[in-house]
Amino acid sequence: MSLPLRAAAAFAESSMHRGSITIVCKNDMAEFDRFHRMVCQFCELHDVPARALNAMTLALDEIFTNVVSYAYDDTDAHEITVRIDFAPGVLRARIEDDGRPFNPLDVPPVDIQRPMTEREVGGLGIHLVRSLMNRMEYERADRRNVLTIEKKIR
Amino acid sequence: MPPNLASPDVYPMQIREENHGDTLVTIVEGHLDSATAGEFETHLLGRIEEGRRAFVVDCADLDYINSAGLKAFLIAGKKLEPIGGRIVLCALATNVQMVFELTGFDNLFTIKASRAEALASFS
């Protein structure tokens, strides 16, 4: 059981009605399942269509996995802060980590037309995030990576 | 300590197998994600190592796939192509099918609606 996430859950309940939720997780994949469930609860409360919810949770899975796997040079516990905002017509997530600078927009796009022999094994996660979202922005601020992704809801 | 990539068994993955002549039907159920894709990849590569070449992967009960799961299919597909083997997938859920389409994996692998059609593509 993780204290940061529990504390965040209490905050989440109180902030759900405002249309946003902030979840703080450790850089540990074991956190993702509970994180995922909180995002689902939030989206259910706001009647986010399943399609947008599925796109968002898959994008968050890819981003979270990347951060946990590659962002840190040390073995310390770090906090990943995710804020989800819901406004009519748009579901937005802002993911902040204090790992090494990494701008996913710099990752070259995957050429999905290429045959099996020419396909790279890497880069698929970022490609999925790009494909699933309508907008993606990155900034390095205060020694933190801040990634914002947006899914339009029709 | 290395990052913990193991997830608690909330979304487990299960692999079952059935032989149909020379074709091996692999039934993968649950979630193919960062926690489980490695096991699935090792399993497929093991069967290729044993000499299997014709694979049907039945995804009827596959609820979720992310890039780690796609990677497992790609690595197995890359191994099979030069030795005359292939993987045909079947019965993909809408969300799984979408992930295959967004990444162009629907061009790399034959995808059939049913297991019967997938098996027929080998005869």
Side-chain angles (χ1 to χ4, degrees):
Chain A
M1 280 291 133
S2 137
L3 277 173
L5 199 66
R6 278 186 165 187
F11 173 64
E13 271 168 13
S14 64
S15 56
M16 269 183 177
H17 302 287
R18 296 203 320 257
S20 77
I21 176 177
T22 300
I23 307 167
V24 180
C25 317
K26 281 188 298 183
N27 56 323
D28 183 333
M29 280 312 287
E31 299 265 275
F32 186 75
D33 292 325
R34 278 168 292 158
F35 166 65
H36 178 246
R37 260 178 270 138
M38 288 169 70
V39 174
C40 290
Q41 279 176 9
F42 172 80
C43 287
E44 273 168 33
L45 194 77
H46 289 283
D47 288 325
V48 174
R51 213 182 148 80
L53 169 62
N54 288 340
M56 182 55 83
T57 51
L58 178 52
L60 288 171
D61 178 0
E62 298 294 352
I63 293 163
F64 193 83
T65 305
N66 259 354
V67 173
V68 171
S69 305
Y70 307 117
Y72 303 105
D73 298 314
D74 56 38
T75 54
D76 301 343
H78 293 263
E79 278 184 356
I80 302 167
T81 306
V82 183
R83 181 188 163 107
I84 313 276
D85 280 287
F86 173 79
V90 65
L91 184 64
R92 184 181 303 117
R94 186 176 188 272
I95 305 100
E96 266 190 67
D97 69 78
D98 63 347
R100 72 171 77 142
F102 173 67
N103 182 354
L105 296 166
D106 288 341
V107 175
V110 172
D111 184 350
I112 65 168
Q113 304 296 332
R114 296 204 176 258
M116 187 92 80
T117 47
E118 296 172 21
R119 288 294 293 259
E120 303 270 354
V121 173
L124 286 167
I126 299 295
H127 171 84
L128 269 177
V129 178
R130 275 181 174 154
S131 313
L132 290 162
M133 294 293 124
N134 299 101
R135 198 169 74 90
M136 189 167 165
E137 262 175 32
Y138 170 85
E139 66 172 323
R140 180 79 181 174
D142 198 18
R143 301 166 105 193
R144 296 170 76 83
N145 296 305
V146 183
L147 183 66
T148 306
I149 56 175
E150 251 182 41
K151 182 75 183 167
K152 280 185 191 154
I153 298 165
R154 287 180 201 94
Chain B
M1 264 191 2
N4 176 14
L5 288 172
S7 104
D9 290 332
V10 183
Y11 303 120
M13 182 219 29
Q14 272 205 328
I15 302 169
R16 290 186 289 122
E17 291 181 320
E18 288 176 23
N19 277 299
H20 288 256
D22 289 338
T23 307
L24 183 66
V25 178
T26 303
I27 302 138
V28 59
E29 298 172 348
H31 279 222
L32 266 182
D33 56 23
S34 317
T36 59
E39 184 190 339
F40 180 65
E41 182 185 314
T42 305
H43 183 88
L44 286 180
L45 294 181
R47 291 293 179 248
I48 297 169
E49 194 73 22
E50 289 166 19
R52 304 305 297 244
R53 297 291 178 263
F55 291 84
V56 166
V57 178
D58 189 329
C59 300
D61 291 312
L62 182 64
D63 304 315
Y64 181 84
I65 190 165
N66 71 2
S67 64
L70 291 177
K71 234 178 268 181
F73 279 106
L74 182 57
I75 288 167
K78 276 175 174 286
K79 202 117 201 167
L80 280 168
E81 201 173 62
I83 54 175
R86 69 190 170 109
I87 298 171
V88 175
L89 293 95
C90 67
L92 274 60
T94 315
N95 59 317
V96 174
Q97 174 86 30
M98 181 194 68
V99 171
F100 271 74
E101 287 170 6
L102 288 174
T103 50
F105 271 49
D106 55 334
N107 296 320
L108 301 181
F109 297 94
T110 306
I111 299 175
K112 298 287 186 186
S114 69
R115 191 196 291 194
E117 287 171 73
L119 283 167
S121 70
F122 281 102
S123 55

